[in-house]
Amino acid sequence: MNAHTPEANGRELRISVTDDVYEQLQLLAASNHVHAEEYAARMITDDVARARFLAGADDFISEHAAGFAARFGPSAAGGQAA
């Protein structure tokens, strides 16, 4: 997604950054052969995906931790942790 090829169903965000941050963003984008806007969109998308994954992992652990500990923990059959 960039200013020239907007993604279908995408949303536009308007943010302000310092000149130093924008210059660094342009350098990072250029090293990846994309426009600064596309690079920033990828960074935000990746960060949101990471947050969703971590939230899902927390939910999974909360739901299954007791069963896992009972089966593989120090008090499991055999008396030794895996």
Side-chain angles (χ1 to χ4, degrees), residues 1-5 22-43:
M1 171 171 59
N2 65 36
H4 304 291
T5 56
Y22 190 73
E23 287 174 17
Q24 185 65 41
L25 177 65
Q26 287 180 310
L27 292 172
L28 292 167
S31 70
N32 285 279
H33 310 289
V34 296
H35 295 281
E37 294 82 1
E38 181 176 353
Y39 187 82
R42 288 180 185 179
M43 290 177 61

Side-chain angles (χ1 to χ4, degrees), residues 1-78:
M1 171 171 59
N2 65 36
H4 304 291
T5 56
E7 185 173 321
N9 301 321
R11 300 281 184 168
E12 181 177 326
L13 298 176
R14 293 177 186 232
I15 60 171
S16 296
V17 295
T18 64
D19 289 341
D20 291 344
V21 169
Y22 190 73
E23 287 174 17
Q24 185 65 41
L25 177 65
Q26 287 180 310
L27 292 172
L28 292 167
S31 70
N32 285 279
H33 310 289
V34 296
H35 295 281
E37 294 82 1
E38 181 176 353
Y39 187 82
R42 288 180 185 179
M43 290 177 61
I44 292 169
T45 300
D46 290 349
D47 194 48
V48 169
R50 186 178 306 107
R52 286 179 179 164
F53 175 83
L54 292 175
D58 283 344
D59 289 346
F60 183 86
I61 290 169
S62 295
E63 184 176 338
H64 298 287
F68 186 86
R71 183 166 180 187
F72 299 108
S75 60

